[in-house]
Amino acid sequence: AIGGVVEAWVDSVPILVISGQVNSSQISPKTRSYGVQGFNIIENVQNITKYAVQVSDPQQIRFHLEKAIYKATTCRPGPVWLDIPFEVQSEKISPDGLEGYTPEHSIVDKNRDKVSAVIDTLLNSKNPLIAFGQGIRNAGVITEFKQMLKQLKIPAITARMGLDILPYSNPYFFGLGGMRGHRAPAVIMKECDLLIALGTSFTHPFAGGNYDQFNPSAKLIMVNIDSSEMTKPGLNVDIAIEMDLKQFISELIDDPKVCKINSKYSEWLKKCEKLKKDLPTVLPSFAGNPINSYYFVECLNKHSKKNHIFVDDAGSANYVCSQGLKLREGQREITSGAFYSMGVALPLAIGAAVTEPEAQVIAITGDGSIELNIQELRTMSQNNLNIKLFVINNGGYTSIRKSQEDIVGGRYTDDEEVLNFSNVANAFVLPFHILDDHEKLDLLIPEILKVNGPELIEVVCDPKQEIIE
C-alpha cells in the first residue's frame, strides 16, 4: 500500500488506510520487524501521511477514525493511516458511547489586505494570466472559478491535475501549460506580465527546471493552502497568500475595485484566442500509418460523450492524453499527476467504473505499463465493468528508447518484444479489437464505444514517434 499512499500524498488525494498488526505484546519500537509479518509501519509512513497512529486502545477507535477522516479531507487533502494490533481488532465496542473527535478551529485570517493587493496588481497589468490546478476541485469552487473568469475576462491555463476542471471550449481556457503541455500556453506564459497561480504546486515540469518557462519579468502571485509550496528554493513569489480558494475567490469577486477591470484585457484575450486557434497540438500531418498516438487520442476524444471518464497511464499514454484531449463539460480525466507511475490506469479505471456505474471509462495505457496489471484484467473481466482498455503498442518503452538513443548511441538494454494482446484478452475472457489503420479509426471507435462492458483494444502505433515538448 505504501506506493499508493505516496501517490496520494503528492497528488493530494484523501485515502484512509487501515492495516492489521501483530499482537501488542510482540511489538518492539525501532526494530525492523516483529511477530509473524509484523512491520513497524507507522514510523515508516508518518512522513507521507497527514495522520498516522497505531490504535492500542479499542475505546479510542472512534476518536482516531473521525480525526483521520477529518485530516484526510480538510485543508490540503492527503492519505491517513490507522494500524490496529491483532488483539485490539477483536475487542467489542459500543460506538455511540465512545469519545469522538472535535476539530480545533483556530484559523486566523492574515490575508485580507493581500486580496486587495492582488486586485491592485491586476489593475496595473496588461497581460495577466491565471494558472490553476487541482486545488480548484479540492476546494469545491469549480462553479465559482468559472464565474470569476467570466467576470474578470482573464486567460487561464491549467497544471496537469486540473485538465478536466474547465471544458476546452471555455472562452477563457487555453489549455495545459508546462513541458508536456499544449503549444499555445507555452507562448502565453512567455508573454504574460502577471501570473496568478491558484491551487497549483507550481512544479518544475509546469514552470521549468529553474522556473524559467514564464516571462522572467512577470510578477507572480500564489494562492495555496499549503505555504511550503510558496517557499521553494528558486521560486520568487511577489505575493504569497496562504488561504482556502473558496474564501479567496469570494473576497476577490466581492471587492468593489473589481468593477474597474471591465474588459481591460480584451486585446490580450484576443491574442490568446488566436494562439489557441493557430497552434493546435495535433497536426494534419499526423494522419498516417503506423498510427500516430496523438492522432488516435484526438479521434477517440472526438467520438466520446459527456459521461465518459478518461483514465491514462504513465509515459506516452500520459503525455498524448494530456496534450491530445480536449475535454468537454461533464467529462473527467484521472491520472497520476506527479509520478506518472506505470500500471496506474487500470486500477484507477476500476475505481471509476465502480463509483460511476452509469458512465463508461476509457482507459489508455501502454504496452509496457499493462504488464503490471494481470490481476486487474481479471477484476475488470469478472465484474463485467464498463471499461474500454486501449493499449498503445509502440514497440516497448518509448521514453527509455529515446534516452538510450540520445545518451548511449541507441544501444538497448531492454527486450523489444511486446505481449501478444489477443492471447492476453483471450486468457482473461475479454473481447478484443485491434486498431492498425488510421483510416478506419472513425469507423471502429464509435462501434467499440457503443457497446457497454469490458474490452481490450490494441492500437498499433509508430515506434519512432516522439513526444511533443
Side-chain angles (χ1 to χ4, degrees):
I2 292 176
V5 167
V6 173
E7 287 277 342
W9 175 250
V10 296
D11 284 348
S12 304
V13 180
I15 286 179
L16 169 64
V17 179
I18 300 175
S19 61
Q21 187 56 273
V22 300
N23 285 305
S24 298
S25 61
Q26 298 175 4
I27 295 172
S28 178
K30 303 298 181 184
T31 57
R32 295 191 182 188
S33 66
Y34 29 72
V36 179
Q37 297 183 320
F39 179 61
N40 195 347
I41 191 65
I42 294 302
E43 287 184 15
N44 283 278
V45 299
Q46 280 177 335
N47 286 333
I48 53 169
T49 54
K50 293 186 68 180
Y51 185 67
V53 296
Q54 189 172 89
V55 182
S56 57
D57 181 357
Q59 301 303 313
Q60 289 289 306
I61 185 59
R62 178 178 168 184
F63 173 87
H64 288 304
L65 272 171
E66 291 180 0
K67 185 174 182 179
I69 293 170
Y70 176 81
K71 292 283 188 182
T73 55
T74 56
C75 295
R76 185 177 183 178
V80 293
W81 195 305
L82 300 183
D83 190 46
I84 309 181
F86 189 68
E87 84 282 2
V88 176
Q89 297 174 28
S90 59
E91 289 287 334
K92 291 185 177 181
I93 58 168
S94 299
D96 293 341
L98 299 183
E99 175 192 2
Y101 171 71
T102 303
E104 296 178 6
H105 295 285
S106 58
I107 299 174
V108 179
D109 184 7
K110 300 175 290 185
N111 297 289
R112 190 169 297 277
D113 292 340
K114 289 186 177 181
V115 176
S116 181
V118 170
I119 298 173
D120 291 337
T121 309
L122 263 172
L123 289 169
N124 291 320
S125 167
K126 292 182 179 179
N127 300 339
L129 175 65
I130 291 174
F132 63 93
Q134 184 177 232
I136 297 289
R137 184 181 296 282
N138 286 344
V141 290
I142 293 177
T143 300
E144 292 88 340
F145 179 59
K146 291 177 180 177
Q147 292 170 348
M148 185 190 82
L149 290 179
K150 189 175 181 180
Q151 184 173 342
L152 298 179
K153 296 179 172 57
I154 294 175
I157 62 173
T158 183
R160 182 65 187 90
M161 293 293 279
L163 192 64
D164 61 356
I165 287 173
L166 295 177
Y168 192 76
S169 60
N170 185 291
Y172 307 107
F173 180 47
F174 295 91
L176 174 66
M179 183 175 70
R180 302 293 194 187
H182 296 131
R183 288 187 166 106
V187 179
I188 295 170
M189 286 179 74
K190 288 290 189 182
E191 297 191 9
C192 72
D193 62 1
L194 170 63
L195 188 55
I196 304 175
L198 302 179
T200 170
S201 300
F202 215 67
T203 61
H204 291 296
F206 178 81
N210 298 306
Y211 300 109
D212 53 2
Q213 290 305 301
F214 64 101
N215 183 354
S217 62
K219 289 186 178 297
L220 175 61
I221 296 171
M222 282 190 74
V223 184
N224 203 299
I225 199 73
D226 185 350
S227 60
S228 66
E229 295 292 355
M230 300 181 282
T231 57
K232 294 180 286 195
L235 179 62
N236 299 314
V237 183
D238 295 281
I239 302 177
I241 305 177
E242 184 183 354
M243 182 186 282
D244 182 83
L245 283 174
K246 195 175 191 71
Q247 181 186 355
F248 173 79
I249 291 175
S250 174
E251 291 190 14
L252 183 75
I253 61 180
D254 288 345
D255 193 296
K257 289 187 291 185
V258 166
C259 64
K260 295 181 182 179
I261 293 176
N262 194 24
S263 300
K264 178 175 169 22
Y265 314 109
S266 57
E267 291 303 313
W268 167 235
L269 198 60
K270 287 179 184 176
K271 182 173 184 177
C272 293
E273 289 168 354
K274 189 174 188 306
L275 288 169
K276 184 177 180 179
K277 180 181 178 182
D278 293 347
L279 297 174
T281 302
V282 183
L283 304 175
S285 59
F286 288 5
N289 289 325
I291 295 171
N292 180 292
S293 55
Y294 286 102
Y295 181 83
F296 156 68
V297 165
E298 184 169 79
C299 289
L300 187 59
N301 196 167
K302 179 172 63 177
H303 295 292
S304 65
K305 307 297 182 186
K306 66 179 182 179
N307 70 330
H308 271 121
I309 300 170
F310 287 89
V311 182
D312 41 79
D313 216 293
S316 300
N318 193 294
Y319 297 136
V320 299
C321 288
S322 65
Q323 295 175 303
L325 290 175
K326 296 177 180 178
L327 297 173
R328 301 185 183 89
E329 191 75 56
Q331 291 184 333
R332 290 294 311 275
E333 192 243 11
I334 304 171
T335 190
S336 166
F339 289 155
Y340 309 115
S341 297
M342 291 178 62
V344 299
L346 187 48
L348 290 177
I350 289 169
V354 171
T355 305
E356 299 287 348
E358 300 303 314
Q360 186 177 78
V361 181
I362 296 175
I364 300 100
T365 188
D367 50 15
S369 293
I370 191 62
E371 294 193 25
L372 283 73
N373 297 123
I374 292 298
Q375 63 273 46
E376 283 90 8
L377 285 171
R378 183 59 179 144
T379 303
M380 167 183 163
S381 169
Q382 192 170 22
N383 292 280
N384 196 36
L385 298 176
N386 193 6
I387 299 172
K388 304 302 178 185
L389 179 62
F390 292 87
V391 180
I392 295 176
N393 180 355
N394 55 10
Y397 304 102
T398 303
S399 297
I400 294 175
R401 276 204 306 268
K402 178 169 173 52
S403 296
Q404 289 170 326
E405 287 165 4
D406 292 347
I407 300 168
V408 294
R411 293 189 295 278
Y412 299 132
T413 58
D414 63 329
D415 187 343
E416 295 186 68
E417 293 184 5
V418 296
L419 294 174
N420 182 316
F421 293 106
S422 175
N423 287 347
V424 170
N426 184 58
F428 291 98
V429 199
L430 288 167
F432 175 76
H433 301 273
I434 187 165
L435 304 178
D436 56 5
D437 185 350
H438 80 283
E439 293 183 345
K440 295 181 180 179
L441 293 180
D442 285 328
L443 173 67
L444 296 177
I445 288 175
E447 291 298 313
I448 291 168
L449 300 182
K450 184 170 65 177
V451 180
N452 287 331
E455 295 188 65
L456 192 155
I457 307 99
E458 178 182 358
V459 189
V460 181
C461 292
D462 186 356
K464 297 185 182 300
Q465 175 202 318
E466 295 191 359
I467 301 301
I468 297 168
E469 292 195 23

